[in-house]
Amino acid sequence: MRFRFFVFWSAFLCSAPFAVSAEPRFPERPIDGVFVVDAANILSHEEQNALNAVSRFLFEDTQIPMLAVTIPSLVDYNAIQLTNAAYARQLYDHWGIGAADRNLGILLLVAPDDRAARIEFGAGFANQHNAAAEAVMRDLMLPAFKRADFGEGLVDAAYALDSVARGLGVPQSTIPLIYFAPLGFLGLICILLFVQNLFKTGRRGWAFVVLGFTGLIVFFVLRQMLRRSGGSFAGGSGGGGGASGSW
């Protein structure tokens, strides 16, 4: 009897750690061309459209995917044993965000019930943008999340990280549009001169040469874009730095 009791409790104690450390679950990966997964149901339709638009333009221009993901809590995905940063890294790798040869991608993860957020960069960024990510987290995401404006925080962060991914850094204060008035006026004059020369001289003028040269550039740019292959999920991995925050 005592022997059976001993065997029972030995088996229980040995299996307990494995029950606690069960594998975490992840949201279902979206199809290519969709860059938002709102499992926490905290984003409006308009906010999701705005996030998708920013990420779509970034991907078309640079082939760098940027995903925004919300989950209610790590508990809901059997990941209570992980930090928000660790779960974001595992989610990034599980989905295979970005291309394996470049490893350039961005994941924004928000867990409102945990009051935690994470920006995770692909390994290809090699911790180069940690300071920028911390600034985005501190100045754009957390202040909005404290007001429960999750959509505003994520959209503002997406625009800022779009700039970071393009190598432009975090955008600073906006320049008033009035300062661009002289440039707009000069551009208008150039357009009028261009149209006038094109209609007056036809193929013999400088405007036709400029038009042909511009068309050639557009052709090569479009051809290069069409040659690009691979979607948002092509075996990439995280671990390239980022920033975590809580509110």
Side-chain angles (χ1 to χ4, degrees), residues 63-144:
Q63 292 292 288
I64 298 176
M66 177 168 57
L67 281 292
V69 180
T70 74
I71 60 173
S73 171
L74 293 179
V75 175
D76 296 294
Y77 287 87
N78 200 34
I80 191 173
Q81 73 276 14
L82 298 176
T83 63
N84 200 47
Y87 182 78
R89 169 70 186 276
Q90 291 194 25
L91 173 60
Y92 193 112
D93 295 348
H94 180 74
W95 281 1
I97 297 174
D101 58 340
R102 299 177 68 206
N103 270 330
L104 298 179
I106 305 172
L107 171 64
L108 294 90
L109 176 68
V110 179
D113 292 350
D114 296 335
R115 303 179 69 85
R118 172 71 181 176
I119 299 171
E120 180 74 19
F121 287 124
F125 283 114
N127 294 291
Q128 296 177 1
H129 300 305
N130 289 351
E134 291 171 0
V136 171
M137 180 68 70
R138 179 187 65 246
D139 300 334
L140 299 177
M141 296 177 71
L142 296 185

Side-chain angles (χ1 to χ4, degrees), residues 175-191:
I175 301 175
L177 292 178
I178 188 64
Y179 290 105
F180 293 99
L183 292 177
F185 182 71
L186 181 61
L188 180 61
I189 292 177
C190 290
I191 291 174

Side-chain angles (χ1 to χ4, degrees), residues 97-234:
I97 297 174
D101 58 340
R102 299 177 68 206
N103 270 330
L104 298 179
I106 305 172
L107 171 64
L108 294 90
L109 176 68
V110 179
D113 292 350
D114 296 335
R115 303 179 69 85
R118 172 71 181 176
I119 299 171
E120 180 74 19
F121 287 124
F125 283 114
N127 294 291
Q128 296 177 1
H129 300 305
N130 289 351
E134 291 171 0
V136 171
M137 180 68 70
R138 179 187 65 246
D139 300 334
L140 299 177
M141 296 177 71
L142 296 185
F145 294 169
K146 289 177 181 178
R147 304 190 302 268
D149 290 333
F150 298 105
E152 176 185 329
L154 280 172
V155 171
D156 288 347
Y159 276 111
L161 291 170
D162 171 273
S163 180
V164 171
R166 296 173 189 270
L168 305 176
V170 179
Q172 302 302 315
S173 57
T174 305
I175 301 175
L177 292 178
I178 188 64
Y179 290 105
F180 293 99
L183 292 177
F185 182 71
L186 181 61
L188 180 61
I189 292 177
C190 290
I191 291 174
L192 291 175
L193 290 174
F194 175 84
V195 173
Q196 181 188 37
N197 184 268
L198 186 64
F199 278 97
K200 187 175 182 179
T201 62
R203 296 183 178 183
R204 294 177 288 105
W206 58 266
F208 184 79
V209 176
V210 172
L211 184 63
F213 184 70
T214 303
L216 192 62
I217 293 176
V218 171
F219 169 76
F220 280 108
V221 169
L222 290 176
R223 189 176 71 169
Q224 184 65 25
M225 289 177 64
L226 291 174
R227 281 182 174 179
R228 291 176 174 174
S229 60
S232 302
F233 312 102

